Amino acid sequence: IPMSTNYVDIKDNDENENKTDQRSTSKKKMDNNKTNQKEKNIKEANDAGKNAERIYTKLVDVMADEVNGTKPTKPSNDATTSEQDENSAGSVYDGVSVSDSYVSVMDTAYIEGFSYLGIIEIPSLGLSLPVGENFSYDQLDYSPCRYCGSYYTDDLVICGHNFTSHFGPLNYLEPGSSVVLITTGGERINYTVLERETVWPQQMERMTDPGDNLWDMTLFTCNNGGESRCAVRCARVRNL
């Protein structure tokens, strides 16, 4: 009997050690996955920051060339560009169809395979970023993009990733802050921040349908975790 008892005890100990080893191995895999994902996120953020800085520099030069009439335009025979336009027109983001009805009337510049409508400056956050003409996930890796609307009709909506170098700092933008949109044609449009709100996935129609509110431009990005959106509502400043 004692021998049998000892055998059972040894067997139980071996099973417990195996379970402990399995848990330890599983935890190491999870930790490695988290580390790899964190490194991937850091690389994506760094790449996005470099992309935006490079495009911004080129766009500033293009806007200066506007005076001399040498601004590069979108190639009409570029198959890749045609495919990009086809995919971006009527795109769907967060379940909402993205309108492309105002693109043709806004001045744009063509850089590195994408079109840009201008530069957005947020002095209090130290941000100066190019703004893409059309929404696409590919272009979001380079800059914020026009989600829908136009600065001509005062219903412009611009979305961007929540990278620190892109729209991540929007969560710190306070009412009364200044926002400036500089079009590729050289027009300087001034806005002031009215409010900042959280928009949930089931409320995404609110992003493009403000109801009785009086904002003329909305900037938005994902909050951490991607469960909601941070929306900054802006009003155009007249007679400056």
Side-chain angles (χ1 to χ4, degrees):
I1 295 175
M3 290 180 61
S4 175
T5 302
N6 287 339
Y7 171 75
V8 172
D9 289 343
I10 293 172
K11 183 179 179 182
D12 288 344
N13 287 337
D14 287 344
E15 289 179 353
N16 289 334
E17 287 178 2
N18 288 336
K19 289 179 180 178
T20 300
D21 290 342
Q22 290 174 359
R23 284 195 294 267
S24 178
T25 301
S26 177
K27 184 177 184 303
K28 286 180 180 178
K29 287 183 178 179
M30 292 177 62
D31 290 343
N32 287 336
N33 289 338
K34 288 180 180 179
T35 299
N36 291 338
Q37 185 60 51
K38 183 177 181 180
E39 291 175 351
K40 180 181 177 182
N41 291 343
I42 292 174
K43 184 179 184 305
E44 288 179 351
N46 289 338
D47 288 347
K50 292 175 182 177
N51 289 338
E53 184 176 358
R54 185 179 67 256
I55 296 298
Y56 172 82
T57 300
K58 291 185 177 182
L59 187 54
V60 168
D61 291 340
V62 167
M63 291 164 67
D65 288 342
E66 170 77 6
V67 178
N68 301 320
T70 58
K71 184 180 70 174
T73 57
K74 185 186 304 182
S76 59
N77 59 346
D78 190 324
T80 302
T81 302
S82 299
E83 182 179 351
Q84 173 203 331
D85 291 344
E86 181 179 345
N87 291 336
S88 61
S91 298
V92 174
Y93 180 73
D94 278 341
V96 178
S97 179
V98 180
S99 170
D100 200 34
S101 58
Y102 297 111
V103 173
S104 61
V105 298
M106 290 190 291
D107 198 19
T108 58
Y110 184 75
I111 300 172
E112 292 188 14
F114 295 107
S115 292
Y116 295 86
L117 61 85
I119 290 171
I120 191 162
E121 295 183 344
I122 309 177
S124 63
L125 300 180
L127 291 178
S128 293
L129 295 164
V131 179
E133 173 191 14
N134 295 319
F135 166 82
S136 75
Y137 286 105
D138 287 340
Q139 190 161 3
L140 279 180
D141 290 335
Y142 290 78
S143 74
C145 298
R146 184 189 71 91
Y147 181 69
C148 63
S150 166
Y151 49 76
Y152 284 125
T153 48
D154 288 332
D155 56 357
L156 182 61
V157 180
I158 301 173
C159 64
H161 278 313
N162 67 343
F163 300 133
T164 302
S165 57
H166 285 202
F167 271 4
L170 288 186
N171 284 285
Y172 303 103
L173 199 53
E174 297 294 337
S177 299
S178 173
V179 178
V180 181
L181 180 68
I182 306 172
T183 73
T184 56
E187 182 180 3
R188 188 179 181 91
I189 307 173
N190 294 277
Y191 298 87
T192 187
V193 174
L194 295 180
E195 61 178 300
R196 188 181 68 242
E197 66 171 315
T198 298
V199 178
W200 298 94
Q202 62 271 24
Q203 299 175 311
M204 281 305 293
E205 292 289 348
R206 177 173 169 77
M207 201 69 77
T208 58
D209 182 16
D212 296 330
N213 293 293
L214 301 176
W215 49 71
D216 301 311
M217 182 175 70
T218 294
L219 313 177
F220 78 91
T221 189
C222 295
N223 284 317
N224 288 336
E227 296 181 356
S228 62
R229 305 290 179 267
C230 170
V232 174
R233 310 296 194 175
C234 305
R236 191 165 181 164
V237 179
R238 312 288 177 176
N239 302 322
L240 279 184

